[in-house]
Amino acid sequence: MWLLLTLFIILLVIGMPVAFVIGIAGGGYFLINNEIPWTVLVQRVVSQTQSFSFLAVPFFLFAGNLMNETGITKHLLSLARLITRRMYGGTAQVNVILSTLMGGVSGSACADAGMEIRILGPEMDSRGYPKGYTCGLTCLTSLITATIPPSLGLILYGFVGEVSIGQLFAAGIVPGFLMCLVLMVTVTITSRRHGYDAPRPDSKRFTFKELMDNLKTSVWALLFPIILIIGIRFGFFTPSEAGAFAVVYAIVIGTFVYKELTIESFIRSLKNAVIDTGAIIFIIALSGIFSYALTYGNIPKIMSAFLIGITDSPQLMVLLMLGFLFLTGMLVDSNVNILLLTPIFLPVVTELEINPVHFGICMMTIVTMGCMTPPVGTAIYVVCGIHKTSIQDYVKYSLPFFISVLLEVVVLVFFPQITMFIPNLLY
Protein backbone atom coordinates (compact mmCIF):
# COMPACT_ATOMS: atom_id res chain seq x y z
CA MET A 1 0.00 0.00 0.00
CA TRP A 2 2.95 2.32 0.69
CA LEU A 3 4.08 1.79 -2.92
CA LEU A 4 0.65 2.93 -4.12
CA LEU A 5 0.76 6.16 -2.11
CA THR A 6 4.46 6.83 -2.84
CA LEU A 7 3.96 6.34 -6.59
CA PHE A 8 0.91 8.61 -6.46
CA ILE A 9 2.87 11.44 -4.77
CA ILE A 10 5.94 11.09 -7.05
CA LEU A 11 3.88 11.21 -10.25
CA LEU A 12 1.88 14.15 -8.92
CA VAL A 13 5.05 16.10 -8.01
CA ILE A 14 6.64 15.63 -11.44
CA GLY A 15 3.56 17.16 -13.06
CA MET A 16 1.93 14.18 -14.76
CA PRO A 17 -1.78 14.71 -15.65
CA VAL A 18 -3.94 13.67 -12.70
CA ALA A 19 -5.91 11.00 -14.60
CA PHE A 20 -2.67 9.16 -15.45
CA VAL A 21 -1.35 9.65 -11.89
CA ILE A 22 -4.25 7.76 -10.32
CA GLY A 23 -4.37 5.18 -13.13
CA ILE A 24 -0.64 4.33 -13.04
CA ALA A 25 -0.47 4.37 -9.23
CA GLY A 26 -3.44 2.02 -9.02
CA GLY A 27 -2.00 -0.17 -11.79
CA GLY A 28 1.29 -0.38 -9.88
CA TYR A 29 -0.53 -1.87 -6.91
CA PHE A 30 -2.07 -4.54 -9.18
CA LEU A 31 1.39 -5.23 -10.64
CA ILE A 32 3.01 -6.13 -7.31
CA ASN A 33 -0.04 -7.90 -5.85
CA ASN A 34 -0.24 -11.33 -7.44
CA GLU A 35 -3.46 -12.20 -5.60
CA ILE A 36 -5.54 -9.93 -7.85
CA PRO A 37 -6.03 -11.04 -11.49
CA TRP A 38 -5.38 -8.39 -14.14
CA THR A 39 -8.88 -8.83 -15.49
CA VAL A 40 -10.13 -7.06 -12.35
CA LEU A 41 -8.18 -3.95 -13.38
CA VAL A 42 -10.02 -3.76 -16.70
CA GLN A 43 -13.34 -4.52 -15.02
CA ARG A 44 -12.85 -1.69 -12.50
CA VAL A 45 -12.18 0.84 -15.27
CA VAL A 46 -15.35 -0.15 -17.10
CA SER A 47 -17.64 -0.69 -14.09
CA GLN A 48 -16.75 2.69 -12.57
CA THR A 49 -18.69 4.43 -15.35
CA GLN A 50 -21.60 1.96 -15.48
CA SER A 51 -24.09 3.89 -13.38
CA PHE A 52 -27.41 5.31 -14.52
CA SER A 53 -27.11 8.25 -12.11
CA PHE A 54 -23.78 9.22 -13.71
CA LEU A 55 -25.68 10.27 -16.86
CA ALA A 56 -26.54 13.46 -14.97
CA VAL A 57 -22.95 14.74 -15.41
CA PRO A 58 -22.79 15.04 -19.25
CA PHE A 59 -26.40 16.28 -19.37
CA PHE A 60 -25.79 19.09 -16.88
CA LEU A 61 -22.49 20.00 -18.55
CA PHE A 62 -24.29 20.34 -21.89
CA ALA A 63 -27.15 22.31 -20.31
CA GLY A 64 -24.68 24.71 -18.65
CA ASN A 65 -22.88 25.33 -21.94
CA LEU A 66 -26.21 25.90 -23.72
CA MET A 67 -27.41 28.38 -21.12
CA ASN A 68 -24.22 30.38 -21.41
CA GLU A 69 -24.98 30.75 -25.13
CA THR A 70 -28.62 31.84 -24.78
CA GLY A 71 -28.28 35.35 -23.36
CA ILE A 72 -29.19 34.29 -19.81
CA THR A 73 -25.95 35.79 -18.50
CA LYS A 74 -26.83 39.19 -19.98
CA HIS A 75 -30.24 39.27 -18.27
CA LEU A 76 -28.87 38.10 -14.93
CA LEU A 77 -26.13 40.75 -15.12
CA SER A 78 -28.78 43.44 -15.62
CA LEU A 79 -30.63 42.22 -12.51
CA ALA A 80 -27.40 42.15 -10.46
CA ARG A 81 -26.54 45.73 -11.49
CA LEU A 82 -29.98 46.93 -10.42
CA ILE A 83 -29.77 45.31 -6.97
CA THR A 84 -26.26 46.69 -6.22
CA ARG A 85 -26.77 50.22 -7.56
CA ARG A 86 -26.58 51.93 -4.15
CA MET A 87 -23.91 49.71 -2.53
CA TYR A 88 -20.26 50.37 -1.76
CA GLY A 89 -18.07 48.47 -4.19
CA GLY A 90 -21.01 48.32 -6.60
CA THR A 91 -19.24 46.53 -9.45
CA ALA A 92 -17.65 44.05 -7.03
CA GLN A 93 -21.09 43.43 -5.50
CA VAL A 94 -22.38 42.71 -9.03
CA ASN A 95 -19.64 40.07 -9.25
CA VAL A 96 -20.95 38.35 -6.09
CA ILE A 97 -24.62 38.45 -7.04
CA LEU A 98 -23.98 37.35 -10.61
CA SER A 99 -22.12 34.27 -9.33
CA THR A 100 -25.06 33.48 -7.06
CA LEU A 101 -27.54 33.80 -9.91
CA MET A 102 -25.27 31.89 -12.30
CA GLY A 103 -24.80 29.05 -9.78
CA GLY A 104 -28.04 27.54 -10.97
CA VAL A 105 -26.96 27.83 -14.60
CA SER A 106 -23.29 26.92 -15.03
CA GLY A 107 -22.81 24.38 -12.21
CA SER A 108 -19.04 24.83 -12.57
CA ALA A 109 -16.77 27.14 -10.57
CA CYS A 110 -14.11 27.38 -13.29
CA ALA A 111 -16.72 28.13 -15.98
CA ASP A 112 -18.29 30.81 -13.80
CA ALA A 113 -14.93 32.42 -12.96
CA GLY A 114 -13.80 32.46 -16.60
CA MET A 115 -17.08 33.99 -17.75
CA GLU A 116 -17.16 36.70 -15.06
CA ILE A 117 -13.55 37.85 -15.47
CA ARG A 118 -14.24 38.44 -19.17
CA ILE A 119 -17.46 40.36 -18.50
CA LEU A 120 -16.61 42.33 -15.34
CA GLY A 121 -12.80 42.41 -15.31
CA PRO A 122 -12.34 45.42 -17.65
CA GLU A 123 -15.10 47.38 -15.89
CA MET A 124 -13.61 46.72 -12.45
CA ASP A 125 -10.23 47.92 -13.77
CA SER A 126 -11.81 51.16 -15.01
CA ARG A 127 -13.40 51.70 -11.57
CA GLY A 128 -10.02 51.56 -9.83
CA TYR A 129 -10.01 48.06 -8.35
CA PRO A 130 -6.51 46.48 -8.20
CA LYS A 131 -6.16 43.56 -10.61
CA GLY A 132 -5.36 41.17 -7.75
CA TYR A 133 -8.59 42.20 -5.97
CA THR A 134 -10.62 41.63 -9.14
CA CYS A 135 -9.12 38.16 -9.68
CA GLY A 136 -9.39 37.15 -6.00
CA LEU A 137 -13.02 38.22 -5.78
CA THR A 138 -13.96 36.57 -9.09
CA CYS A 139 -12.40 33.26 -8.04
CA LEU A 140 -13.92 33.18 -4.56
CA THR A 141 -17.40 34.23 -5.68
CA SER A 142 -17.41 31.35 -8.18
CA LEU A 143 -17.18 29.09 -5.11
CA ILE A 144 -20.93 29.72 -4.63
CA THR A 145 -21.60 27.38 -7.56
CA ALA A 146 -20.22 24.51 -5.43
CA THR A 147 -23.45 24.34 -3.44
CA ILE A 148 -26.26 26.02 -5.40
CA PRO A 149 -27.86 23.38 -7.66
CA PRO A 150 -27.07 21.92 -10.11
CA SER A 151 -23.53 21.66 -8.71
CA LEU A 152 -21.45 19.06 -10.58
CA GLY A 153 -19.45 18.39 -7.41
CA LEU A 154 -22.63 17.45 -5.52
CA ILE A 155 -23.64 15.12 -8.36
CA LEU A 156 -20.26 13.33 -8.19
CA TYR A 157 -20.39 13.17 -4.37
CA GLY A 158 -23.89 11.69 -4.47
CA PHE A 159 -22.85 9.26 -7.21
CA VAL A 160 -19.75 7.98 -5.36
CA GLY A 161 -21.17 8.04 -1.82
CA GLU A 162 -24.68 6.84 -2.74
CA VAL A 163 -26.19 9.93 -1.12
CA SER A 164 -29.49 11.41 -2.35
CA ILE A 165 -28.66 14.00 -5.03
CA GLY A 166 -32.10 15.57 -4.54
CA GLN A 167 -31.37 16.17 -0.85
CA LEU A 168 -27.89 17.50 -1.68
CA PHE A 169 -29.41 19.98 -4.16
CA ALA A 170 -31.93 21.14 -1.55
CA ALA A 171 -29.25 21.39 1.16
CA GLY A 172 -27.01 23.61 -0.96
CA ILE A 173 -29.45 26.50 -1.35
CA VAL A 174 -29.20 28.17 2.10
CA PRO A 175 -25.37 27.79 2.38
CA GLY A 176 -25.06 29.21 -1.16
CA PHE A 177 -27.06 32.32 -0.32
CA LEU A 178 -25.29 32.62 3.05
CA MET A 179 -21.95 32.63 1.23
CA CYS A 180 -23.31 35.34 -1.06
CA LEU A 181 -24.20 37.46 2.00
CA VAL A 182 -20.82 36.84 3.66
CA LEU A 183 -18.89 37.83 0.52
CA MET A 184 -21.04 40.93 -0.01
CA VAL A 185 -20.28 42.06 3.55
CA THR A 186 -16.57 41.43 2.91
CA VAL A 187 -16.74 43.49 -0.30
CA THR A 188 -18.46 46.35 1.57
CA ILE A 189 -15.81 46.36 4.32
CA THR A 190 -12.82 46.19 1.94
CA SER A 191 -14.32 48.74 -0.49
CA ARG A 192 -15.02 51.26 2.28
CA ARG A 193 -11.56 50.77 3.76
CA HIS A 194 -9.70 51.25 0.47
CA GLY A 195 -12.13 53.67 -1.19
CA TYR A 196 -13.13 51.41 -4.07
CA ASP A 197 -16.15 52.35 -6.20
CA ALA A 198 -18.27 54.46 -3.81
CA PRO A 199 -21.94 54.86 -4.87
CA ARG A 200 -22.66 58.01 -6.88
CA PRO A 201 -24.61 60.70 -4.97
CA ASP A 202 -27.22 60.93 -7.77
CA SER A 203 -27.93 57.17 -7.89
CA LYS A 204 -31.41 56.21 -6.70
CA ARG A 205 -32.66 53.10 -4.99
CA PHE A 206 -34.29 50.68 -7.40
CA THR A 207 -38.06 50.72 -7.51
CA PHE A 208 -40.46 47.78 -7.38
CA LYS A 209 -41.38 48.42 -11.03
CA GLU A 210 -37.72 48.28 -12.12
CA LEU A 211 -37.26 45.02 -10.21
CA MET A 212 -40.33 43.47 -11.82
CA ASP A 213 -39.21 44.57 -15.29
CA ASN A 214 -35.84 42.87 -14.77
CA LEU A 215 -37.40 39.75 -13.31
CA LYS A 216 -39.61 39.34 -16.39
CA THR A 217 -36.56 38.50 -18.51
CA SER A 218 -34.36 36.78 -15.90
CA VAL A 219 -37.06 34.70 -14.18
CA TRP A 220 -36.49 31.74 -16.55
CA ALA A 221 -32.92 31.36 -15.30
CA LEU A 222 -33.94 31.87 -11.66
CA LEU A 223 -36.66 29.21 -11.91
CA PHE A 224 -34.28 26.56 -13.25
CA PRO A 225 -32.79 25.26 -9.94
CA ILE A 226 -36.20 25.48 -8.24
CA ILE A 227 -37.82 23.34 -10.95
CA LEU A 228 -35.01 20.78 -10.61
CA ILE A 229 -35.39 20.44 -6.83
CA ILE A 230 -39.19 20.26 -6.92
CA GLY A 231 -39.12 17.82 -9.84
CA ILE A 232 -36.68 15.46 -8.08
CA ARG A 233 -38.43 15.75 -4.71
CA PHE A 234 -41.91 14.94 -5.99
CA GLY A 235 -40.75 12.17 -8.31
CA PHE A 236 -41.33 13.84 -11.66
CA PHE A 237 -37.81 12.79 -12.64
CA THR A 238 -34.64 11.20 -11.26
CA PRO A 239 -31.38 13.21 -11.09
CA SER A 240 -30.31 11.72 -14.43
CA GLU A 241 -33.64 12.58 -16.02
CA ALA A 242 -33.33 16.04 -14.47
CA GLY A 243 -30.13 16.46 -16.49
CA ALA A 244 -31.97 15.57 -19.69
CA PHE A 245 -34.76 17.97 -18.70
CA ALA A 246 -32.13 20.70 -18.16
CA VAL A 247 -30.90 20.29 -21.74
CA VAL A 248 -34.43 20.50 -23.17
CA TYR A 249 -35.19 23.49 -20.90
CA ALA A 250 -32.06 25.33 -22.08
CA ILE A 251 -32.90 24.69 -25.75
CA VAL A 252 -36.52 25.85 -25.36
CA ILE A 253 -35.62 29.00 -23.39
CA GLY A 254 -32.72 29.87 -25.72
CA THR A 255 -34.75 29.32 -28.88
CA PHE A 256 -38.26 30.55 -28.07
CA VAL A 257 -37.87 32.96 -25.10
CA TYR A 258 -34.52 34.74 -25.53
CA LYS A 259 -34.23 33.76 -29.22
CA GLU A 260 -30.41 33.83 -29.07
CA LEU A 261 -29.59 30.13 -29.51
CA THR A 262 -28.35 29.53 -33.06
CA ILE A 263 -27.13 26.41 -34.85
CA GLU A 264 -23.54 27.67 -34.49
CA SER A 265 -23.86 28.27 -30.72
CA PHE A 266 -25.61 24.90 -30.29
CA ILE A 267 -22.73 23.10 -32.01
CA ARG A 268 -20.19 25.09 -29.98
CA SER A 269 -21.99 24.14 -26.75
CA LEU A 270 -22.09 20.48 -27.77
CA LYS A 271 -18.39 20.50 -28.61
CA ASN A 272 -17.43 22.10 -25.27
CA ALA A 273 -19.67 19.65 -23.37
CA VAL A 274 -18.05 16.67 -25.13
CA ILE A 275 -14.56 17.93 -24.21
CA ASP A 276 -15.54 18.56 -20.56
CA THR A 277 -17.31 15.22 -20.27
CA GLY A 278 -14.37 13.36 -21.81
CA ALA A 279 -11.96 14.87 -19.28
CA ILE A 280 -14.18 14.07 -16.30
CA ILE A 281 -15.15 10.55 -17.36
CA PHE A 282 -11.49 9.67 -18.04
CA ILE A 283 -10.62 10.62 -14.45
CA ILE A 284 -13.65 8.74 -13.12
CA ALA A 285 -12.82 5.59 -15.11
CA LEU A 286 -9.19 5.43 -13.94
CA SER A 287 -10.18 6.29 -10.37
CA GLY A 288 -11.89 2.88 -10.29
CA ILE A 289 -8.45 1.21 -10.23
CA PHE A 290 -7.16 3.45 -7.44
CA SER A 291 -10.35 3.16 -5.36
CA TYR A 292 -10.29 -0.65 -5.62
CA ALA A 293 -6.66 -0.71 -4.49
CA LEU A 294 -7.50 1.49 -1.48
CA THR A 295 -10.47 -0.70 -0.57
CA TYR A 296 -8.48 -3.94 -1.03
CA GLY A 297 -5.82 -2.54 1.31
CA ASN A 298 -8.47 -1.65 3.94
CA ILE A 299 -7.42 2.00 3.82
CA PRO A 300 -10.99 3.30 4.54
CA LYS A 301 -11.20 1.16 7.71
CA ILE A 302 -7.68 2.10 8.81
CA MET A 303 -8.36 5.82 8.25
CA SER A 304 -11.71 5.53 10.00
CA ALA A 305 -10.17 3.88 13.08
CA PHE A 306 -7.32 6.43 13.12
CA LEU A 307 -9.60 9.47 12.88
CA ILE A 308 -12.11 8.18 15.44
CA GLY A 309 -9.18 7.51 17.78
CA ILE A 310 -8.26 11.22 17.69
CA THR A 311 -11.63 12.56 18.88
CA ASP A 312 -15.22 11.41 19.25
CA SER A 313 -16.62 14.93 18.80
CA PRO A 314 -18.52 15.05 15.47
CA GLN A 315 -17.82 18.77 14.94
CA LEU A 316 -14.09 18.47 15.62
CA MET A 317 -13.92 15.40 13.40
CA VAL A 318 -15.59 17.27 10.53
CA LEU A 319 -13.14 20.18 11.01
CA LEU A 320 -10.20 17.74 10.91
CA MET A 321 -11.45 16.14 7.69
CA LEU A 322 -12.15 19.54 6.10
CA GLY A 323 -8.65 20.70 7.06
CA PHE A 324 -7.21 17.63 5.35
CA LEU A 325 -9.38 18.31 2.28
CA PHE A 326 -8.17 21.92 2.19
CA LEU A 327 -4.54 20.76 2.09
CA THR A 328 -5.15 18.08 -0.55
CA GLY A 329 -7.20 20.59 -2.57
CA MET A 330 -4.03 22.66 -2.96
CA LEU A 331 -2.36 19.74 -4.74
CA VAL A 332 -5.07 17.61 -6.37
CA ASP A 333 -7.95 18.44 -8.73
CA SER A 334 -11.31 18.83 -6.94
CA ASN A 335 -13.04 16.07 -8.97
CA VAL A 336 -10.25 13.65 -8.08
CA ASN A 337 -10.55 14.56 -4.39
CA ILE A 338 -14.28 13.82 -4.50
CA LEU A 339 -13.80 10.48 -6.22
CA LEU A 340 -10.91 9.26 -4.04
CA LEU A 341 -11.69 10.68 -0.60
CA THR A 342 -15.48 10.34 -0.41
CA PRO A 343 -15.27 6.51 0.06
CA ILE A 344 -12.62 7.05 2.78
CA PHE A 345 -14.42 9.74 4.79
CA LEU A 346 -18.03 8.55 4.55
CA PRO A 347 -17.49 5.52 6.86
CA VAL A 348 -16.16 7.95 9.50
CA VAL A 349 -19.14 10.25 8.94
CA THR A 350 -21.55 7.32 9.30
CA GLU A 351 -19.79 6.00 12.40
CA LEU A 352 -20.15 9.34 14.19
CA GLU A 353 -23.78 9.75 13.03
CA ILE A 354 -23.02 12.88 11.03
CA ASN A 355 -25.58 13.49 8.30
CA PRO A 356 -23.81 12.67 4.97
CA VAL A 357 -25.87 15.37 3.20
CA HIS A 358 -24.63 18.03 5.65
CA PHE A 359 -21.05 16.76 5.37
CA GLY A 360 -21.32 16.76 1.57
CA ILE A 361 -22.16 20.49 1.47
CA CYS A 362 -19.20 21.36 3.73
CA MET A 363 -16.91 19.01 1.79
CA MET A 364 -17.89 20.46 -1.61
CA THR A 365 -17.18 24.00 -0.44
CA ILE A 366 -13.69 23.14 0.79
CA VAL A 367 -12.85 20.77 -2.08
CA THR A 368 -13.93 23.33 -4.70
CA MET A 369 -11.83 25.92 -2.89
CA GLY A 370 -8.87 23.87 -4.13
CA CYS A 371 -9.57 25.40 -7.56
CA MET A 372 -8.77 28.80 -5.98
CA THR A 373 -5.60 27.90 -4.07
CA PRO A 374 -2.05 27.65 -5.46
CA PRO A 375 -0.16 25.75 -6.71
CA VAL A 376 -2.68 23.58 -8.64
CA GLY A 377 -5.84 25.75 -8.58
CA THR A 378 -7.27 25.71 -12.10
CA ALA A 379 -9.55 28.71 -11.54
CA ILE A 380 -6.53 30.83 -10.53
CA TYR A 381 -4.73 30.21 -13.79
CA VAL A 382 -7.88 30.74 -15.84
CA VAL A 383 -8.70 34.08 -14.17
CA CYS A 384 -5.14 35.41 -13.76
CA GLY A 385 -4.26 34.30 -17.30
CA ILE A 386 -7.23 36.10 -18.85
CA HIS A 387 -6.75 39.22 -16.69
CA LYS A 388 -2.92 39.19 -16.88
CA THR A 389 -2.39 39.26 -13.12
CA SER A 390 0.41 37.76 -11.02
CA ILE A 391 -0.31 34.94 -8.58
CA GLN A 392 1.32 37.02 -5.81
CA ASP A 393 -1.18 39.85 -6.28
CA TYR A 394 -4.02 37.34 -6.39
CA VAL A 395 -2.97 35.77 -3.06
CA LYS A 396 -2.48 39.18 -1.40
CA TYR A 397 -5.93 40.54 -2.25
CA SER A 398 -7.89 37.29 -1.93
CA LEU A 399 -7.04 36.62 1.73
CA PRO A 400 -10.06 38.50 3.20
CA PHE A 401 -12.39 36.46 0.98
CA PHE A 402 -10.73 33.16 1.93
CA ILE A 403 -11.08 34.03 5.63
CA SER A 404 -14.76 34.97 5.29
CA VAL A 405 -15.60 31.74 3.42
CA LEU A 406 -13.72 29.58 5.96
CA LEU A 407 -15.60 31.29 8.81
CA GLU A 408 -18.87 30.53 7.04
CA VAL A 409 -17.91 26.84 6.76
CA VAL A 410 -17.10 26.72 10.49
CA VAL A 411 -20.57 28.14 11.22
CA LEU A 412 -22.12 25.44 9.00
CA VAL A 413 -20.18 22.72 10.82
CA PHE A 414 -21.44 23.78 14.26
CA PHE A 415 -24.96 24.62 13.11
CA PRO A 416 -25.99 21.81 10.72
CA GLN A 417 -29.63 22.93 10.88
CA ILE A 418 -28.68 25.78 8.51
CA THR A 419 -27.77 23.24 5.86
CA MET A 420 -30.53 20.76 6.63
CA PHE A 421 -33.43 23.23 6.94
CA ILE A 422 -34.76 22.85 3.36
CA PRO A 423 -34.04 19.07 3.03
CA ASN A 424 -35.90 18.44 6.31
CA LEU A 425 -38.76 20.61 5.06
CA LEU A 426 -39.03 18.79 1.72
CA TYR A 427 -38.03 15.24 2.70
Side-chain angles (χ1 to χ4, degrees):
M1 188 51 62
W2 283 109
L3 176 66
L4 172 74
L5 299 177
T6 304
L7 191 57
F8 178 85
I9 293 169
I10 291 172
L11 295 175
L12 196 65
V13 169
I14 65 175
M16 182 175 285
V18 174
F20 292 104
V21 170
I22 57 180
I24 293 172
Y29 182 81
F30 277 81
L31 185 65
I32 63 167
N33 195 324
N34 295 324
E35 298 175 7
I36 309 172
W38 277 87
T39 51
V40 174
L41 185 148
V42 179
Q43 290 170 357
R44 294 306 304 174
V45 172
V46 176
S47 64
Q48 186 74 354
T49 60
Q50 303 303 299
S51 170
F52 183 76
S53 60
F54 178 65
L55 285 172
V57 174
F59 279 136
F60 278 117
L61 281 170
F62 187 28
N65 279 289
L66 281 172
M67 287 189 171
N68 287 333
E69 296 281 356
T70 59
I72 284 178
T73 305
K74 177 177 64 179
H75 296 293
L76 293 179
L77 180 59
S78 174
L79 178 62
R81 289 190 194 282
L82 177 69
I83 295 171
T84 61
R85 193 161 64 190
R86 287 281 299 160
M87 294 182 181
Y88 260 91
T91 311
Q93 303 283 15
V94 169
N95 201 319
V96 180
I97 291 184
L98 185 59
S99 278
T100 307
L101 299 177
M102 287 297 295
V105 176
S106 68
S108 166
C110 288
D112 179 79
M115 176 269 298
E116 290 204 18
I117 198 65
R118 288 186 179 93
I119 295 173
L120 295 173
E123 184 174 349
M124 289 185 71
D125 287 349
S126 68
R127 300 259 180 173
Y129 294 94
K131 282 183 174 290
Y133 185 96
T134 299
C135 291
L137 176 66
T138 302
C139 270
L140 268 294
T141 56
S142 69
L143 189 57
I144 298 171
T145 64
T147 58
I148 289 185
S151 162
L152 294 178
L154 291 179
I155 294 170
L156 288 177
Y157 173 81
F159 162 68
V160 175
E162 298 181 355
V163 181
S164 166
I165 294 174
Q167 289 194 45
L168 288 168
F169 278 3
I173 294 176
V174 174
F177 281 104
L178 179 61
M179 190 182 298
C180 170
L181 179 62
V182 166
L183 289 172
M184 289 180 75
V185 170
T186 309
V187 167
T188 301
I189 294 170
T190 53
S191 296
R192 279 182 176 272
R193 182 179 177 186
H194 299 289
Y196 300 148
D197 199 4
R200 292 183 301 178
D202 60 340
S203 59
K204 299 178 182 179
R205 296 186 183 278
F206 64 85
T207 64
F208 182 75
K209 183 179 182 302
E210 287 178 307
L211 181 61
M212 288 298 104
D213 288 342
N214 270 270
L215 284 175
K216 283 179 185 177
T217 54
S218 56
V219 68
W220 299 105
L222 301 176
L223 281 174
F224 177 58
I226 298 172
I227 293 172
L228 289 181
I229 292 169
I230 293 174
I232 293 172
R233 168 61 187 90
F234 291 101
F236 295 116
F237 35 66
T238 65
S240 301
E241 292 164 349
F245 166 80
V247 173
V248 175
Y249 184 88
I251 292 172
V252 170
I253 297 302
T255 305
F256 299 106
V257 178
Y258 296 136
K259 299 179 180 178
E260 295 190 26
L261 184 63
T262 63
I263 294 296
E264 291 78 13
S265 59
F266 179 87
I267 293 172
R268 185 163 56 247
S269 298
L270 183 61
K271 181 179 178 181
N272 290 336
V274 168
I275 293 171
D276 293 341
T277 302
I280 291 175
I281 200 170
F282 190 46
I283 293 173
I284 289 173
L286 293 182
S287 72
I289 307 171
F290 198 89
S291 298
Y292 183 84
L294 290 176
T295 305
Y296 193 85
N298 283 325
I299 293 298
K301 290 184 178 178
I302 294 169
M303 283 288 292
S304 178
F306 172 74
L307 289 170
I308 292 172
I310 295 175
T311 177
D312 57 359
S313 168
Q315 289 83 9
L316 290 178
M317 180 61 67
V318 171
L319 290 176
L320 277 173
M321 289 188 285
L322 294 179
F324 181 78
L325 287 166
F326 181 78
L327 293 175
T328 56
M330 298 175 71
L331 302 171
V332 183
D333 178 78
S334 58
N335 290 328
V336 175
N337 265 330
I338 296 167
L339 293 167
L340 297 186
L341 297 180
T342 298
I344 293 176
F345 284 154
L346 270 185
V348 183
V349 169
T350 306
E351 182 77 19
L352 293 175
E353 298 183 349
I354 302 165
N355 192 305
V357 173
H358 167 62
F359 177 74
I361 299 300
C362 297
M363 178 178 174
M364 284 315 101
T365 303
I366 295 298
V367 164
T368 310
M369 192 182 283
C371 297
M372 294 97 193
T373 52
V376 179
T378 49
I380 298 177
Y381 299 111
V382 169
V383 169
C384 291
I386 292 171
H387 207 55
K388 296 179 174 57
T389 306
S390 69
I391 302 298
Q392 290 83 355
D393 278 351
Y394 165 85
V395 172
K396 173 185 172 183
Y397 286 101
S398 64
L399 283 177
F401 302 109
F402 273 112
I403 292 169
S404 61
V405 171
L406 290 173
L407 288 174
E408 186 230 1
V409 173
V410 171
V411 170
L412 293 180
V413 169
F414 284 95
F415 298 95
Q417 56 268 33
I418 295 174
T419 303
M420 298 306 299
F421 172 71
I422 294 182
N424 290 339
L425 201 65
L426 291 177
Y427 290 86

